[in-house]
Amino acid sequence: MRQNIIALELQVLYEISRVIGETLDLDETIGVILRILGEELSMKRATVTLQDDQSEKLLIRTSHGLNDEEIRRGVYNLDEGVTGRIFRTAKPFVVPDIAKEPLFLDKTKSRRFEKDKVSFIGVPIMLHGHPIGVLNVDRLFGLDVSFEEDIRFLTIVATLISQMVNIQRQVRAREENLRLENVSLKAKLSQNYQRFFIVGKSRPMARVLQLIEKVAPTKATVLLLGESGTGKSLIARIIHELSDRSNHTFTMVNCASLPETLLESELFGHEKGAFTGATDSKAGRFEEANKGTVFLDEIGEIPMNIQVKLLRFLQDREFERLGSTKTRRVDVRIVAATNKDLEAEVAAGRFREDLYYRLNVFPILVPPLRERKEDIPALLNHFLDKLSKEYDRRLRLTSKALDAMVRYDWPGNVREMENLMERLSIMTDGDTIELSDIPSFFFHKTDVPMQRPPELASLEDIEKHEIIAALERNGWVQSRAARELNITLRQIGYRIKKFGLEGVVAERRGR
């Protein structure tokens, strides 16, 4: 009898050894092992219960003889029932008759219709001297074989399972290391990344870099906060490039530049006839960017009724096109940006509080130039290098001009600086940018002592340059420039037309 048992055990272990290593799918391999135990040893039921990393509860990972509903019921606290005791004590446990054992909870309800006596055995699954789970089975070898034989054999099987768990953990750790290395490699290769951070060595920008690298590989919604011109749209693109969505679409929607109906259609799409001019059905940006990233710039300007629809989308990734009742679902990541204080907007009733919390999952505050003045010289050289390729000459700043640039507060931030350097590249005759070459209106909010250059000889010239400067500082968005200048949208539109700036505004907004 003993020889027959040993021969049977060897046969089962041989079958198990054949399946181990054929796949790295832990659940699939354990499922095959339990099936072999069931077929070769007439075992009716078995479960492998492992500790969940997040909940720390014991969950049935794989089973034999249980249906899906029974598996879902198999959740145990570490001090609960027979399974909890085996895990806590790291020792086998035998139940000769489950009907007479108070510790046997039958939480799966898989044995409630059993009429015959059922014996139950469990052994801990140990790894590096600590329990990681439990292997439970109905008795294997029958009444004429001792429980010790069952325990001895199951301990061998549990050891094999623990080694598979260990291998899977090592594979996952290696995959995570490779993923992080891939993110780092993408960062090195990304031109946008280089462009943004090669000239941002200050402590505030180092913090931004750290946050970008942490959030980029995740699925989290990101909210970029900061003044106009600080580079929020560039950061949004970098986050996309460093994510696993980089091979899919990145699309940007400026929520301040479209009227309400057009903005809703732009985001969610519309059906033919949904509104005047809707001659065809059209997919929105969310549909077009499926599997990719949608960047919602100026999110603080979004109208209240669209906020409701956007909230639902952020919660469920579901929406309907304008004029349609068909619910659509897409997988996109949202990165939003604003230069507004959204908490103040919520308090004022202009922005939904629930939408704010949905957007504010991972906020990144992008510092203005005046808070990282040590970056200014490198930024200026970066733009001069870039422009030298476009205009085929390399300009340099005198020490006085550089000092003025560093002391300037740059209300339009990096965007204002880039625009100024391009203008100076066009206007400067020689190879040196002098203090007098810099238009005085760039310094009207600072204490930099300067004389008004001769080109600003009339009030009309001054007004024209003020309009251009305000537009540059505000990304060529007329409504925002008008607010800064404390004039109406109609008034700034009149001045743009008066000074013949329509083409310039259209070109800059199109960039």
Side-chain angles (χ1 to χ4, degrees), residues 462-474:
I462 295 174
E463 182 183 23
K464 177 180 178 181
H465 283 85
E466 288 287 350
I467 293 292
I468 294 173
L471 287 166
E472 287 177 336
R473 286 193 295 269
N474 290 280

Side-chain angles (χ1 to χ4, degrees), residues 184-229:
S184 178
L185 180 61
K186 282 184 177 180
K188 291 176 181 177
L189 295 176
S190 167
Q191 291 183 354
N192 282 326
Y193 193 93
Q194 291 283 349
R195 173 185 164 195
F196 194 78
F197 290 106
I198 198 170
V199 291
K201 303 298 185 182
S202 62
R203 182 173 295 178
M205 290 310 294
R207 176 58 178 164
V208 172
L209 168 60
Q210 183 183 35
L211 293 174
I212 289 173
E213 290 185 334
K214 281 184 176 295
V215 77
T218 73
K219 297 180 179 179
T221 299
V222 181
L223 180 61
L224 303 175
L225 305 167
E227 298 176 4
S228 295

Side-chain angles (χ1 to χ4, degrees), residues 3 18 199 270:
Q3 290 179 339
R18 290 178 60 188
V199 291
H270 64 258

Side-chain angles (χ1 to χ4, degrees), residues 281-509:
S281 297
K282 178 182 178 296
R285 295 295 187 94
F286 290 138
E287 283 184 78
E288 292 175 347
N290 190 29
K291 306 295 184 183
T293 304
V294 174
F295 174 47
L296 300 177
D297 198 11
E298 303 297 345
I299 192 69
E301 305 289 343
I302 196 168
M304 189 63 73
N305 73 314
I306 302 182
Q307 289 183 31
V308 177
K309 200 167 183 178
L310 180 60
L311 174 65
R312 180 199 169 197
F313 180 77
L314 287 170
Q315 290 172 332
D316 306 319
R317 294 300 190 267
E318 292 181 349
F319 65 97
E320 291 84 32
R321 291 181 181 177
L322 275 174
S324 172
T325 58
K326 178 184 177 181
T327 299
R328 300 170 187 271
R329 184 176 179 83
V330 294
D331 171 24
V332 298
R333 185 195 197 155
I334 301 297
V335 179
T338 183
N339 61 355
K340 285 190 170 184
D341 183 346
L342 288 188
E343 289 189 5
E345 293 295 300
V346 169
R350 291 187 292 267
F351 202 86
R352 291 181 62 98
E353 184 177 24
D354 45 9
L355 176 58
Y356 169 64
Y357 288 125
R358 281 285 176 182
L359 290 168
N360 198 39
V361 175
F362 197 94
I364 298 178
L365 178 61
V366 188
L369 269 182
R370 64 180 174 275
E371 293 179 7
R372 53 183 188 107
K373 287 185 176 291
E374 59 266 48
D375 289 337
I376 289 177
L379 272 167
L380 290 168
N381 279 321
H382 167 70
F383 290 128
L384 288 174
D385 286 339
K386 177 184 174 184
L387 292 165
S388 69
K389 298 173 184 176
E390 293 185 23
Y391 296 102
D392 198 26
R393 62 176 179 145
R394 181 60 164 87
L395 296 176
R396 68 177 186 85
L397 290 157
T398 65
S399 59
K400 289 185 178 180
L402 177 59
D403 182 62
M405 296 280 193
V406 172
R407 286 198 287 151
Y408 181 49
D409 278 346
W410 297 103
N413 292 293
V414 180
R415 184 186 295 121
E416 181 183 12
M417 178 185 286
E418 184 173 14
N419 290 335
L420 173 61
M421 299 316 292
E422 183 171 6
R423 176 180 302 192
L424 290 173
S425 296
I426 297 170
M427 297 296 295
T428 303
D429 294 326
D431 294 331
T432 303
I433 299 174
E434 304 283 351
L435 185 63
S436 59
D437 292 323
I438 304 172
S440 61
F441 64 83
F442 273 91
F443 301 95
H444 70 284
K445 294 182 180 178
T446 71
D447 59 354
V448 179
M450 298 188 69
Q451 296 296 318
R452 179 157 48 93
E455 68 268 22
L456 302 182
S458 68
L459 290 175
E460 187 172 284
D461 284 339
I462 295 174
E463 182 183 23
K464 177 180 178 181
H465 283 85
E466 288 287 350
I467 293 292
I468 294 173
L471 287 166
E472 287 177 336
R473 286 193 295 269
N474 290 280
W476 297 89
V477 177
Q478 295 179 42
S479 59
R480 288 166 47 193
R483 281 199 299 270
E484 180 185 315
L485 295 170
N486 198 26
I487 61 178
T488 67
L489 184 60
R490 184 177 179 181
Q491 287 171 327
I492 196 172
Y494 168 76
R495 285 166 173 77
I496 288 171
K497 186 175 181 180
K498 170 185 173 182
F499 297 126
L501 299 173
E502 299 100 320
V504 176
V505 172
E507 177 187 352
R508 294 293 185 173
R509 290 289 293 149

